[in-house]
Structure formats: structure tokens, C-alpha cells
Amino acid sequence: MQKYGVPFYGAAWVPYNNVRSKLASREDPDKADDDESSSASEVTASHSYVVLAGGGGEGRSGIPNAIIVSHADFASISLSDQPVAKLEIGSQLPYRMAVHPGGDGLICALPDSCRLFEWEEVESSEVHKLSVKVSEKVLSQLEGFGQQLALAFDSEGSILAVGGEDGNLRVFMWPTMEIILNEAQAHTSVKDLTFSPNGKFLVSLGRILCRVWDLTTLKAVASLPRENNRSFTIFEIGNFCYSLPCSGTIQGDILIIDSSTLRVQTVVRKAHLGLVTALTFSHDSRALLSVSMDSSVRMTVIKDKKKNGGMNLWVIIFIVVLAVTVYLMRNKGIIP
């Protein structure tokens, strides 16, 4: 765990191989072809990055609003003591974030709009550092709609889903930003979004309802209401081969569930001192990244992963319900 002095609300793993290829193609297309033929494992071993977003908002706390890039070392299971890069972005808090899997940059949800940031590589005689900069491209389709509470790309990076505080769910084609779904009352407020591993379904979470959307028909095909006046909690699902749902709690605990046995595989108690605000698996599901309002970021290695045959729609629905159930049972002391 590391602390970088900023309350965090968004976190993601950087798809560095794709970022590196994009950066190289801007400078020299021939160089990009050479880079793509290099060993991906060699690149990943020495260039594993995470990106974090958060800050102090519009107040005069002295805490900046910033996007931070940090280095992750899988060998030592550690994050760099200091950020690799830090971009302060003024008075607007980046409350949620989504990283494009193909290297097209990242999008941050600000109080009344969404802003695109691009990757850049800072070179010197001693080190090459990955950084971010404000993109010249303006996402006009996401301006003036108020605070967006959830952002997500599908695994191919061809679809972007955005959910607002007002309950509006919008789905766009990327990068054209052609809107394909605009559901004004998907929820009273959209709290979280995640795509199924095959990209065919989108799960949206509200305060009192969970919905599953078929992205072929662009219709809601399942709805799960809350029970006993309980709210849904933050969750994340691992990749198609390693189906590991996880949940973060307001007490700062992290629960990782083995979907093949339907048991809690790992409990990290007091992983953070405060509310867990974001969770995200690494691209191979080897590690889980979690952040909190207490300014901490933690890298948790996933052990004893078990392969599954994949998840269909109903398994995805069951996993969401299971994550919520485990959280409620723990609060009642039924399970440790």
C-alpha cells in the first residue's frame, strides 16, 4: 500500500503495450511495427503502471485535484514510493475514470462534463516515464449533463458507457461518439457500470436496482431489486477465464469470491482505513487494485486462481447478487 496525498475516487491498470504502440505510431509508423514485434512480456515486466484520479474538490483544503501515474512491480508486489507522474487539473474533481484498453487515453468525469486525457512518454538521458496530458479533443457529447458517477469501456474499446447522477444511462460507439443507447430513467442514480467479458452485456447498478442490458437489442433483459431496504455495493468482475467477483466495503475491507465454489476466497480486513471507492483487476486478473478516500492505494495479489469455462448472462447476474449477499451476511456476523 502507498499513500500519495490525494483522496482517490478512480483507479485503473494502464494497458502499456497498447499505449506504447500508440505513442510510437504517432512518431514513426515503421518504429511502431518494430515495437509491436518486440516481446510483450519484456515490456510488461518493466513497465507495469496504474493510474489514479481524485483530489480535494473545489474547497480550500490545499489538496489538489490530480491524475497520478504510479509504477507497479509484480515481483515485489509493490507500488512505487513516489508517483511516476502527477498532473494537477485545477478546481474540478475527477470523480470517476475509465481507461481505454487500446491506448486511446483515459476519460475523467468532472462535475459537469467529461474530459479526455492522452498518454505521453517523457524521455530523458536516465529514464523513460509515462505521463498524461489534457487532450485537444473535446467530448462535446458529454458536456452539460451534470456529474457522471460511472464510466466504462468494453474490452475491445469500441463502446463507452456513461451513467449519471440523474439516472441517465448513455452508451456510445468509440471513437465516433455516436450514441446507441440513451435511457433517461435507467435508475434514480447510476452508481456503477461493468461490461461482461465478451462485451455482449452491460450491468448497471443503481441505489435500489441492478439491471442487465443486452447490447445487441439495446434493451434491459434482467432487473434485480434490492431486498430488505438494503443498497447494492461496489463490485468488480475478473476476466473471462478467471471469474473472480470482489466487493469493497465502507469499513475498508475487501472480499474476493471464488465463483467456482461460491465461497469467499480472500478477505483483506482493513485494506484501507476508510470507504473503498474503486476496485479494478489487472488485465490478467493476477492482482487487484483498490483505492480509498483515505488517500491510499493497495495492490493485492490474487492467489490460487481457478479456471472456469466462462460466464453467461445468468452467471453474471448471480455473481452480482452473491457479492451483495456476502457483504450483508458479513455485516450481520453470519460469515467471518
Side-chain angles (χ1 to χ4, degrees):
M1 185 179 71
Q2 294 290 347
K3 288 194 173 185
Y4 298 130
V6 174
F8 291 119
Y9 298 94
W13 297 84
V14 178
Y16 185 72
N17 288 334
N18 293 334
V19 170
R20 183 171 182 258
S21 177
K22 287 278 186 181
L23 292 174
S25 65
R26 294 176 192 169
E27 300 176 359
D28 186 345
D30 295 331
K31 183 176 182 293
D33 293 337
D34 293 340
D35 287 341
E36 287 178 357
S37 64
S38 64
S39 171
S41 60
E42 179 182 349
V43 171
T44 303
S46 58
H47 295 89
S48 295
Y49 294 101
V50 298
V51 59
L52 316 162
E58 297 181 0
R60 298 183 178 180
S61 63
I63 300 174
N65 298 307
I67 298 173
I68 290 174
V69 180
S70 177
H71 184 265
D73 188 333
F74 279 89
S76 61
I77 315 176
S78 64
L79 299 166
S80 55
D81 294 339
Q82 298 296 325
V84 173
K86 181 177 181 179
L87 176 66
E88 296 188 11
I89 58 173
S91 62
Q92 293 188 310
L93 173 69
Y95 188 65
R96 286 292 183 262
M97 177 180 63
V99 171
H100 188 269
D104 283 354
L106 59 97
I107 298 176
C108 286
L110 305 177
D112 196 44
S113 65
C114 292
R115 184 180 298 172
L116 178 64
F117 297 84
E118 296 179 353
W119 303 109
E120 64 176 352
E121 206 162 32
V122 180
E123 298 185 11
S124 68
S125 58
E126 298 180 354
V127 68
H128 291 230
K129 296 195 303 182
L130 185 67
S131 185
V132 290
K133 64 180 181 180
V134 179
S135 173
E136 295 181 358
K137 180 179 179 180
V138 176
L139 301 177
S140 57
Q141 298 87 343
L142 294 176
E143 289 189 330
F145 290 120
Q147 179 71 67
Q148 302 302 300
L149 300 182
L151 304 170
F153 282 105
D154 71 333
S155 60
E156 295 183 353
S158 60
I159 302 176
L160 169 67
V162 179
E165 191 173 34
D166 59 0
N168 196 313
L169 173 64
R170 299 178 178 87
V171 180
F172 301 87
M173 299 300 296
W174 182 268
T176 64
M177 291 301 289
E178 173 191 354
I179 191 165
I180 59 175
L181 177 64
N182 188 357
E183 190 69 27
Q185 297 180 344
H187 299 277
T188 54
S189 182
V190 181
K191 301 296 186 183
D192 204 358
L193 293 168
T194 190
F195 284 91
S196 64
N198 59 16
K200 293 183 179 180
F201 301 98
L202 173 68
V203 180
S204 62
L205 284 182
R207 188 174 62 85
I208 61 174
L209 187 69
C210 171
R211 282 184 167 176
V212 180
W213 305 83
D214 187 325
L215 296 180
T216 301
T217 63
L218 300 177
K219 300 290 184 182
V221 293
S223 295
L224 299 170
R226 69 177 181 177
E227 297 181 357
N228 301 323
N229 202 35
R230 301 284 187 175
S231 297
F232 288 109
T233 186
I234 184 173
F235 75 101
E236 177 73 4
I237 299 175
N239 67 27
F240 201 84
C241 294
Y242 302 109
S243 306
L244 293 165
C246 68
S247 173
T249 73
I250 59 174
Q251 293 86 3
D253 299 340
I254 295 174
L255 285 76
I256 301 173
I257 304 161
D258 187 333
S259 60
S260 63
T261 62
L262 306 183
R263 295 180 178 178
V264 176
Q265 174 177 307
T266 305
V267 178
V268 184
R269 298 192 186 280
K270 298 299 180 182
H272 301 273
L273 297 180
L275 170 70
V276 177
T277 50
L279 295 164
T280 179
F281 281 100
S282 61
H283 306 112
D284 57 4
S285 290
R286 289 170 55 199
L288 176 69
L289 190 71
S290 59
V291 294
S292 171
M293 290 178 63
D294 68 1
S295 303
S296 65
V297 52
R298 176 181 287 269
M299 177 181 173
T300 303
V301 172
I302 307 299
K303 298 180 180 179
D304 299 322
K305 297 179 295 184
K306 297 181 179 180
K307 291 187 177 182
N308 299 304
M311 294 188 292
N312 60 27
L313 169 63
W314 300 111
V315 174
I316 294 171
I317 296 173
F318 179 74
I319 287 173
V320 174
V321 176
L322 178 62
V324 176
T325 302
V326 169
Y327 170 62
L328 298 178
M329 290 177 69
R330 185 186 178 282
N331 277 354
K332 293 181 178 180
I334 299 176
I335 61 174

